[in-house]
Amino acid sequence: MRKTLALDLSPTATLGDLPHYHVAIPPGLMWKSIEEVFQKNPELPGVVVLDQETLCGMISRQRFMELMNQPFRHDLYDKRPIVHILGYGFDRPLCIAASEPIDIAAGRALERPGETIYEPVVIAFPAPGDYRLIDTQVLLRALSQMLAMQNDELRQARRRLIQSEKMALLGQLVAGVAHEINTPVGICLTAATHLQAQSGDIAGRFEAGTLTKSDLQHYLAVAGETAGLIFTNITRAAELIQGFKQVAVDQTSQKRRRFNLGKTIRDTLISLKPQLKNTSHKIVVEGADDIEVDSYPGSISQIITNLVLNALTHAFDNGREHGRIVIRAGTTGDEVELSLEDDGKGIPESDLQHIFEPFFSTRQGQGGSGLGLHIVYNLVTANLGGRICCESTVGRGTRFVMIF
């Protein structure tokens, strides 16, 4: 007999990898001998009956005990060879190749009639006459372990996908901030260059002794105006950088803190400037500036980004150039209601019930991953502890409502 207690399985494990028993008896063996085999091995689920290399049948411990406890069993069985009593109540055993995947083997075992569903399963190995037994309970335990491993793999895959999505959004944020910072920094550079030229000119006039009062007054006016321009744009660039730093920290750390909802939304929208710069779509934020939230700003930032990108990808993909997206926020007691509404083409009712499912996309093969709204759903329900719904009418637009 060969038995292994621990189930150390790989994702590709087969029936032959499971703990099994190698106890084969000839059909001419007497009944009393089979009783001794079971007495010596109290955990043995049954024995395989072989006529040389041919499988004749299988005697399970349960069936053996049933027959042994019948009246007159001594006269009926003890004096006869095993082959003569196989037909008294032993069905043809379920024999499965050792190479069969565990889930398929377990499914076949569970398809048996109720009175035989928990009888052992015969494993057929490649070598001629190599038949062994496996306890069905072990097979089902292995199936449970394999399903748990698959679920764990799915959870890990989902975490990797979400992390990839976060990094992609962070990359968009960097591009958006770089695009926004380029304007004030460019103005500062131009102003500083102009001020440098004016300073050089006034210094030359001073050295040559040709500097007049009007020249000095003009220079002072230019210097004051240029300094103000530099200060204003440097301040704007600093605000953008600070907003970028905060959104980046929030999206990567997912820490809870108190923040202004309107500022978080506006900082997030900065990252979408590259996607919006070649369109005439307009995004409006209403009611969020007066709301202080104690929650997870990184999750809210990612939700806004995914919903806006979803609208740009799906709502206005029919060639419309002047779309409108409205982000509204309000409070009721301790709850925040945050909605995003577009006036795009809408979602058909047949698709509406599937939009939050993973990998569901109407743009498969066209750049649609089917993960954007699934991630939004998980962020709202899991991270924010809230709920989300979607309302849509074909031809009139779509509205997502989140309460957290």
Side-chain angles (χ1 to χ4, degrees):
M1 181 181 71
R2 174 182 177 271
K3 182 178 180 182
T4 307
L5 295 178
L7 293 181
D8 185 14
L9 303 176
S10 70
T12 58
T14 62
L15 187 61
D17 296 322
L18 298 180
H20 51 262
Y21 298 84
H22 195 181
V23 179
I25 61 170
L29 197 68
M30 302 302 292
W31 182 265
K32 192 68 178 176
S33 301
I34 218 68
E35 186 175 7
E36 293 174 356
V37 170
F38 281 125
Q39 288 175 349
K40 291 179 180 178
N41 304 283
E43 294 183 351
L44 186 66
V47 293
V48 176
V49 182
L50 292 183
D51 185 5
Q52 296 181 346
E53 295 181 352
T54 304
L55 176 66
C56 294
M58 181 269 296
I59 302 176
S60 69
R61 178 183 291 273
Q62 179 179 342
R63 289 293 184 91
F64 173 80
M65 295 301 295
E66 289 175 358
L67 294 180
M68 188 179 70
N69 290 325
Q70 289 183 7
F72 312 111
R73 69 100 179 171
H74 178 79
D75 295 328
L76 289 173
Y77 306 128
D78 282 4
K79 299 177 181 179
R80 299 186 181 187
I82 294 299
V83 70
H84 289 164
I85 59 175
L86 281 177
Y88 274 83
F90 298 109
D91 295 328
R92 185 171 182 84
L94 176 61
C95 183
I96 306 177
S99 59
E100 196 82 351
I102 288 175
D103 56 342
I104 296 178
R108 292 181 59 185
L110 292 174
E111 289 175 354
R112 292 180 293 183
E115 68 274 11
T116 61
I117 193 169
Y118 286 112
E119 287 199 353
V121 175
V122 178
I123 308 176
F125 282 81
D130 190 357
Y131 295 95
R132 312 179 193 184
L133 279 184
I134 181 172
D135 191 332
T136 303
Q137 297 286 354
V138 173
L139 176 57
L140 297 181
R141 184 157 59 94
L143 175 64
S144 176
Q145 182 175 325
M146 294 290 288
L147 293 175
M149 290 168 62
Q150 292 173 5
N151 288 335
D152 185 58
E153 288 178 358
L154 287 174
R155 284 192 294 269
Q156 292 180 11
R158 177 178 169 272
R159 283 195 293 268
R160 288 194 295 269
L161 287 170
I162 291 177
Q163 188 63 27
S164 298
E165 188 84 3
K166 286 181 182 179
M167 292 301 102
L169 292 176
L170 199 56
Q172 293 173 358
L173 179 63
V174 171
V177 170
H179 178 268
E180 285 294 293
I181 290 178
N182 184 63
T183 299
V185 170
I187 292 174
C188 289
L189 180 60
T190 301
T193 302
H194 179 62
L195 182 59
Q196 184 181 37
Q198 291 292 317
S199 297
D201 181 64
I202 203 74
R205 291 174 184 270
F206 176 77
E207 292 292 337
T210 60
L211 181 64
T212 64
K213 181 178 180 181
S214 60
D215 291 335
L216 184 58
Q217 289 175 334
H218 174 73
Y219 172 75
L220 293 175
V222 170
E225 182 181 349
T226 305
L229 196 61
I230 292 174
F231 176 78
T232 300
N233 284 276
I234 284 294
T235 302
R236 173 60 179 155
E239 291 174 351
L240 289 170
I241 293 172
Q242 183 60 36
F244 158 70
K245 287 172 59 180
Q246 190 60 66
V247 172
V249 169
D250 288 336
Q251 287 197 5
T252 53
S253 68
Q254 289 291 353
K255 289 184 178 180
R256 180 171 180 162
R257 65 179 178 86
R258 192 169 186 84
F259 59 95
N260 180 270
L261 183 60
K263 185 177 185 306
T264 294
I265 293 174
R266 295 182 194 283
D267 286 343
T268 302
L269 293 178
I270 292 174
S271 68
L272 301 177
K273 284 298 179 74
Q275 282 77 17
L276 292 168
K277 67 180 180 180
N278 294 324
T279 72
S280 300
H281 304 316
K282 185 176 182 181
I283 300 180
V284 179
V285 181
E286 298 178 354
D289 291 329
D290 298 328
I291 299 177
E292 293 291 322
V293 180
D294 182 6
S295 187
Y296 298 89
S299 295
I300 293 174
S301 176
Q302 192 168 2
I303 288 168
I304 294 297
T305 302
N306 283 23
L307 290 180
V308 171
L309 292 179
N310 183 75
L312 295 177
T313 303
H314 298 282
F316 307 123
D317 67 349
N318 54 358
R320 182 174 175 181
E321 297 180 355
H322 301 285
R324 179 179 171 89
I325 300 173
V326 180
I327 301 173
R328 293 190 180 92
T331 59
T332 303
D334 290 335
E335 290 187 325
V336 174
E337 179 177 307
L338 180 62
S339 67
L340 186 144
E341 182 177 355
D342 66 68
D343 58 355
K345 67 178 186 180
I347 303 172
E349 187 175 351
S350 58
D351 292 340
L352 198 58
Q353 57 185 324
H354 301 294
I355 58 173
F356 295 121
E357 295 176 2
F359 306 110
F360 176 79
S361 176
T362 58
R363 293 174 61 88
Q364 289 289 358
Q366 304 176 49
S369 67
L371 289 171
L373 291 182
H374 176 64
I375 291 174
V376 167
Y377 178 84
N378 281 281
L379 289 172
V380 173
T381 57
N383 291 32
L384 303 183
R387 53 196 185 275
I388 181 172
C389 66
C390 179
E391 308 161 354
S392 185
T393 303
V394 174
R396 299 183 60 182
T398 302
R399 181 170 181 255
F400 290 91
V401 180
M402 296 148 283
I403 299 176
F404 59 93

